[in-house]
Amino acid sequence: MSKEMIVCKGISKSFPGANGSTLEVLKDISLSINENEFVVVLGPGQCGKTTLINLIAGLEMPTSGNVTVAGNPITKPNPDIGVVYQKTALFPWLSVQSNVGFGPMMKGMKKDERKKIVQHYIDLVGLTGFEKSYPIKLSGGMRQRVGIARAYCNNPSVLLMDEPFGHLDAQTRYLMQEEVVRIWEADKKTILFVTNNVEEAVYLADRIIVLSNCPTHIVTEFDVTLPRPRDYVSRDFLSLRKTVNDSLERTR
Amino acid sequence: MSSRSISIAGSRTEVVLYAVAALAGFFIVWQLLVMYTAVGMVMPSPIEVVEAMVASCADPIGSKTLPMHILFSLRRVLIGYLLAVLIGIPVGILMGCFQVGEAIIKPVFEIFRPIPGLAWIPLAILWFGIGEESKYFIICVSAAVSIILNTYEGAKSVDPTLVGAARMLGANDFQVFVFVTIPSSVPHIFAGLQVGLSSSWMAVIAAEMIRSSEGTGWIITTGMDSGNTVQILIGMVSIGFIGLILASLLRGLEKKLCTWRIQGR
Ligand SMILES: Nc1ncnc2c1ncn2[C@@H]1O[C@H](COP(=O)(O)OP(=O)(O)OP(=O)(O)O)[C@@H](O)[C@H]1O
Ligand SMILES: [Mg+2]
């Protein structure tokens, strides 16, 4: 039996709302993700996807319930977990190579050693030649590549990706979806990928977890067994896409 | 893309050309006004001023030549300003990064903030006498306010997502401070340094006009006492040029340290 890498047990999260009320965002979410599994969490806009990521990352604490990653309870930010952000969150004052090498540098890794693995991940995400560029000079797709390389380079055992392609144009988005599968197949990690895009979910996932609107709970799950690389317009793809789509609540 | 002014003057060379033309136009109009109108009775022409400036590099005004006067003013500014930088940046960071620091320093700072540096002149003279120390003090106080304020705002406006990202990559509190808080405050700090520099340049002139025996401010005051408009203008033109040079030097340094903010390929 494969190892459980991310386990959420009955987590709920409320924020203090306006005039003393509480805003219940997540409500009793339980999920478990196996080692090297690619799970997509699919939910409508503003349903609490980023909140879920923050809870698993240890950037915020659940109101109730608990999270473990690789068997360890999460109580604070943990470098064993990599995060790729919705709005890239690159350090604008650092070049591509310094952004990618940030994690190893914090660990105090020697410069020569660091240089080697940084280059490895820059090559892996296809940014060879842009090592010295600053983020401001890169396109949206390239910035996300840096974000992915930065997370990988810290060698986490799980990777949380928060709508990383939400701000990209359609063409770049397709390209990046292919890339993420390619990178994952080259360097296997447990991935939890969040999106509100059904097509993206069906293209990427081993398993899709569908969320409801706020207060958010898990509606249903789909196992995706289509062989990779997947074809966006094959019959099986389209019919699964329709099934998943029908399970999704619409906002407004 | 970032806000750019509408480019009528397109390339860099064009910008320089426009600047040169505007300055030339200004001096020509000044020259013509002096030559053909009543302005000539109260103002010397730019040619006279430039000639006098060149001459005063050899013949002293009072006891010193013009370059020496300028060096005296510059030394006062640099000492006062460096003091302000050394005090201002740490205080701003203390206020911006630590809640205790903010709670303690901010209320005190808010009282001092509206007091212009020049209002400190009388106290400075009572405390430090009429020597150099009182001038350093006035310059330092004048410059420190905007340096503190901008540094504080910079340290305060660090993007919490970036702090989170650094923590997720294993940074501890100290590393977050060094590798995230400080670099992301640098552009704000430079804004403060720029405003602080022009305040300290203004403060030295005012301090010298009140009490001194050399410096650009002194040139202006003694010019006024003896009704010598040429000498007044020598002082004013020198102030303008030196101020411009100081600001450009600082801007050059900023450009070097902040290449990451420059857009375009
Ligand atoms: N720190 C916070 N304090 C108060 N409310 C918050 C906080 N963080 C999130 N919320 C609220 O929780 C809800 C869910 O936010 P969240 O960002 O997790 O949603 P999301 O699904 O990621 O949205 P999007 O589709 O825009 O990325 C929103 O209504 C938001 O206003
Ligand atoms: Mg979000």
Side-chain angles (χ1 to χ4, degrees), chain A residues 9 41 48 56 102 168 173 181 232:
Chain A
K9 279 213 188 88
V41 170
I56 298 174
F102 193 87
L168 302 182
R173 190 168 185 154
V181 171
Y232 290 101

Side-chain angles (χ1 to χ4, degrees), chain B residues 28-139:
Chain B
I28 290 169
V29 170
W30 177 3
Q31 180 77 29
L32 291 176
L33 282 175
V34 170
M35 283 165 73
Y36 297 113
T37 68
V39 172
M41 304 210 279
V42 292
M43 277 277 276
S45 76
I47 293 176
E48 274 176 86
V49 173
V50 171
E51 277 172 359
M53 280 180 88
V54 173
S56 60
C57 289
D59 304 330
I61 305 173
S63 60
K64 294 187 175 61
T65 58
L66 179 60
M68 287 312 289
H69 283 294
I70 291 176
L71 284 180
F72 262 95
S73 299
L74 267 180
R75 193 183 73 174
R76 288 167 182 153
V77 167
L78 288 186
I79 293 175
Y81 181 64
L82 281 181
L83 278 175
V85 172
L86 291 180
I87 298 168
I89 294 180
V91 170
I93 284 176
L94 273 179
M95 268 165 71
C97 294
F98 304 99
Q99 274 171 6
V100 189
E102 185 176 13
I104 296 171
I105 307 174
K106 186 124 188 277
V108 183
F109 178 70
E110 287 296 334
I111 296 178
F112 282 91
R113 191 176 145 184
I115 306 172
L118 305 186
W120 289 90
I121 291 178
L123 265 189
I125 291 177
L126 286 179
W127 287 345
F128 300 105
I130 55 169
E132 295 297 287
E133 287 83 1
S134 60
K135 296 188 182 66
Y136 301 151
F137 176 80
I138 293 158
I139 293 162

Side-chain angles (χ1 to χ4, degrees), chain A residues 89-95 99 102 135 150, chain B residues 162-163 165-166 169 179-180:
Chain A
L90 300 179
F91 305 113
W93 51 85
L94 295 181
S95 63
N99 263 287
F102 193 87
R150 181 176 71 175
Chain B
L162 290 186
V163 173
L169 292 165
F179 296 108
V180 181

